Amino acid sequence: MNMGIGNKILILHGNRQTGELLLGRLTKLQKAVNKELQLEFVAPDAPFLYADGDEDLEESRHDNNDSASSLQWQRTWWHRKGNTYHGLEESITKIEQLWNNDGGFVGILGFSQGSRFAHIISILHSVTNGDAFRGLRGIVHVSGYNSPIPSNFRTYLKDHWSQYNNNSLFDESIIISLPSLHVMGSTDKLVPILESKALSELYNTPKPLIHNHPGGHHVPVKARDIEHYLIFWRKLQSIDEPAETCKVLPPDEEHAQAQIDEVYALSQIFPEFQLLSETEFIDPDNADPDDYSEESRKYTHPISYAILLQPEDMEIQQELWPPKPISLHVQYPVDYPDCSPIISLQHGMNCFEFSSSQSELLTKKLTLTMNDEEGMPCVMSLIYAAREFFEEGGLAKGQTALPQKEKIVSEDEAIENELQEPSLASALLPASDARMEKCRQEGWLISRKMMEERSNNSGKGGSWKQFTIGLVGKPSAGKSTFFNAATAFARQRGGMPSTKKNGSEDEDGIILGGAAMAPHPFTTIDPNVGFCFVPTVDGSCPEDDADGCEFLSNKGIPLGSCHGRVDGRRLIPVVLKDVAGLVPGAYEGRGKGNKFLDDLTDADVLIHVLDASGKADSEGNKVLDVINPINDLEWISNEIVAWVYTNIKQKWDSVVRRGRTKLLGLFSGYKQSQSFVEDVFTAVENYVRDNDGRDAVFDKLETFDEGDLYRLVSAFVMTRFPMGLALNKNDIASSIPFIEEITSKLPIHGCFVAQALSADKEMRFIRHHCLHQSVSSTVASNFEGLVWKCLQKALSLRGPILVFPVADMQTYEPLTGLNNFATRDPSLPSKGFINCLTSVGGTAPSTWDDNKVMYAVQGKNETKPALRDVLLMKPGSTVNDVFLTLKNKNVLEGEFVRAEAASKLGEKPKLVSKLDIVGPENRILRIMTTKRQKK
């Protein structure tokens, strides 16, 4: 600590609290701050007892959440009547005397009403050029809010600080030049996050730090919260470093990816999108200012942007909107989307053009929307909620608002009633059950045709960072067993089981993780996520050509692989997500409901794990009589279709008003690019034209009936979520006729491919090897690798384009920059999985050293393996996309010069353009840049 400055933080409690009460709640924070920074908390009591009848906004909200039978101990910093804070002068005098007499104060932490008091102190400090509260270096506002400057505060300034009295400094929007940290809760019902954000905008020199925590109206003191306070107060102790250098904690990889994905989606959906935070173009010479993809830009956190609420691409009823533009400003907290974004309304209107009551009513609706979608990306919903507010007469409602105290209650009621009331007569016309079924079948036919005609040239391109397969099925069908067999118990999310109940343990204490398994519904509460290893599809790799393998053999060059091989097929890492069991009616919230349907949006392909034995009902309960499992196929696909259909039907009034763009945005919300949704729209439009004689149906959405929407949703879902079947429990005799019946009818109910298997048998084999146990001949002979074959078939439904980057087109040796990935990436197989591979005749990854039991690259004098590495690229990817992917991974440096490519091993390489689409004809790729690569 620098001893040249003080070591005390003034703590100002909230209304109806005491200093001692708040300090008791800050014990963890106080210990951490004292241990690392040697700072001391001082928490005085407010001078006044709380009295019923006070009009302070915060008094009506009760900062103290503890119940008490008496008001004797509850304190307040003032008694508010209108805009007069009676007692404010006494509170300022008391705190100023404490500040001056005790000495050593460097900062203030104010909670709720205490934050309001801290803001008044910061104004006093600013307008007196630092003479008042000397040494104040920064302020922490927790659940802070902004209100008009109290009328008696102006009087106090004139009476006590007349030498500084300058009316221009006492404007309502005075900007404070003090470092500040603003802590706000996403679920704070008493001080909504927008009120805290409004306060933060009054501090801009230096730029305020903002921490959005997922809790409510309290001072958060969990470990991650404490780190934010420490970062801020560390800078207050530093004389040499300016406070402007305060660093915001960056999001972790998962949160950062979710934030960037949403930014890209919003930029595609809303032409009114404007990025405000800084980015750096990866390829400045070919930068597209409208391309916000991660392949094009490197983002700086926190990400912020604005979206104009008035839509530019459609006509609006101008009388329903404010006279000047209004935008929604968004900033992502570090933990978004687990917590709500920080939002504010930006406009240049005065109170007559857009009144405070209108702003507050809109803010309330946005807050309700954020609360409803907590834990999910929600900005698109916020934009639509704001536009609905205006288009449904929100301005008029705001003009008739009641006075402040009554208005708070009436606005709550107005918004809640608005959400509860049935919408205006739906523009979606009714359809009979027979028509709904007919349209569902038509959607399925459209999807089948799209799947058959899919092209490697279609799509926006870019790297497939995490190709994901989702496991669905009824409870107890064997999804968790399949998951453990496929991932070798490598559960990546949701925690490691600590007891043998959910894991396995050998005599040496080795514990296996993985998904919990049990013969009853809902064993999986949260989705299990882990890497599985999928054999590549025949013909997708250069080594599939026999002549190519002979070419390498003649040169004495070993064929490489980053993740190993089985049956000669290269294994590629794919994310596998085991989602909790569904039941009929899940789209209405039954079973585990929409939570688990939402989890599916991460998946690129689905595997329906089906209990082919017929010995369980649709909810996973055992039955005495055998039930044909083919019925499960229909309701699973129908659940997913009904989920999307219900979501969009609820917004159909808005769709009809806003047209195709609104509908496009709704479908894009299921984590699909706008171009993908447009392809589905075009296919449906062509089908309706050819079979119903109706042209340009998406320009006539008012003519849609329920069947038309169901056809569209079915086509989208079946194409968006292509499904393979795992016909599980084929070791039970009753499954044989059902397996034969189902496979003979493929494709059926959204399922295109199927594989019969026993997940339990294969899981046992995997478990034995992962625990380094010897395997009985019976167990070994029962292993057929059918789980791998099932994954391979699923991958073929929407497989990535495989590209093989090399450093040399004669030896096909790997790029040096990929060595780190090949030896340290989390997707690399464990020793247990490698045991499984080798026991069935497979080969270990090229960098695996069995003697050292670790991953390591070959020495300088050793022959390097050919085609060790592979990139998973999206359809439509170009050579330039591959270059940017490698550059983004820090594998290549410099700028693109040229590239050469080949289709087969031993083939003469040819020059390719950076704009060429990558595919089987140019999948082996060497890219040269302006900076020589390391050997």
Side-chain angles (χ1 to χ4, degrees), residues 220-239:
V221 290
K222 292 184 178 179
R224 191 169 182 87
D225 304 312
I226 289 174
E227 185 60 25
H228 285 270
Y229 300 114
L230 291 175
I231 287 174
F232 180 73
W233 279 323
R234 284 188 197 115
K235 295 302 177 182
L236 297 193
Q237 288 189 329
S238 172
I239 292 178

Side-chain angles (χ1 to χ4, degrees), residues 432-450:
S432 66
D433 291 343
R435 173 160 170 77
M436 295 286 282
E437 175 59 24
K438 176 177 178 290
C439 290
R440 185 182 71 85
Q441 293 290 343
E442 290 173 351
W444 166 229
L445 291 174
I446 294 168
S447 173
R448 283 181 60 180
K449 185 177 181 182
M450 291 187 68

Side-chain angles (χ1 to χ4, degrees), residues 47 85 130 269 293 300 398 404 430 562 579 585 643 720 747 853 902:
Y85 292 10
I269 296 169
S293 67
T300 300
Q404 175 74 16
C562 197
V579 181
W643 169 52
R720 165 65 180 86
V853 195

Side-chain angles (χ1 to χ4, degrees), residues 513-554:
M517 301 173 292
H520 55 75
F522 304 122
T523 302
T524 306
I525 301 302
D526 295 311
N528 303 294
V529 182
F531 283 107
C532 64
F533 307 99
V534 185
T536 53
V537 179
D538 189 32
S540 61
C541 300
E543 64 264 28
D544 295 341
D545 178 65
D547 293 340
C549 291
E550 184 178 353
F551 171 84
L552 291 180
S553 179
N554 292 338

Side-chain angles (χ1 to χ4, degrees), residues 335-408:
D335 291 327
Y336 179 83
D338 288 344
C339 62
S340 297
I342 302 165
I343 64 174
S344 61
L345 298 172
Q346 302 288 331
H347 58 84
M349 292 176 281
N350 58 39
C351 61
F352 299 103
E353 294 170 315
F354 188 60
S355 68
S356 59
S357 59
Q358 291 168 330
S359 177
E360 289 174 11
L361 191 57
L362 173 56
T363 297
K364 189 69 175 180
K365 182 158 188 171
L366 295 177
T367 301
L368 288 172
T369 302
M370 285 194 295
N371 292 339
D372 288 343
E373 302 202 7
E374 183 183 359
M376 299 183 292
C378 65
V379 177
M380 184 169 69
S381 297
L382 293 177
I383 298 298
Y384 288 138
R387 290 179 175 180
E388 285 176 358
F389 169 82
F390 290 114
E391 292 176 357
E392 295 175 2
L395 286 180
K397 294 178 183 178
Q399 288 176 341
T400 58
L402 296 173
Q404 175 74 16
K405 194 165 183 179
E406 297 178 345
K407 177 170 65 66
I408 293 175

Side-chain angles (χ1 to χ4, degrees), residues 880-916:
N880 191 54
D881 288 325
V882 177
F883 164 67
L884 293 177
T885 298
L886 292 171
K887 189 173 182 179
N888 202 35
K889 292 177 180 289
N890 297 318
V891 176
L892 295 180
E893 297 178 337
E895 301 306 319
F896 183 95
V897 174
R898 65 189 181 98
E900 53 185 5
S903 174
K904 302 177 181 179
L905 291 164
E907 180 181 84
K908 183 179 179 179
K910 58 189 176 184
L911 289 176
V912 291
S913 164
K914 66 189 301 185
L915 299 180
D916 285 352

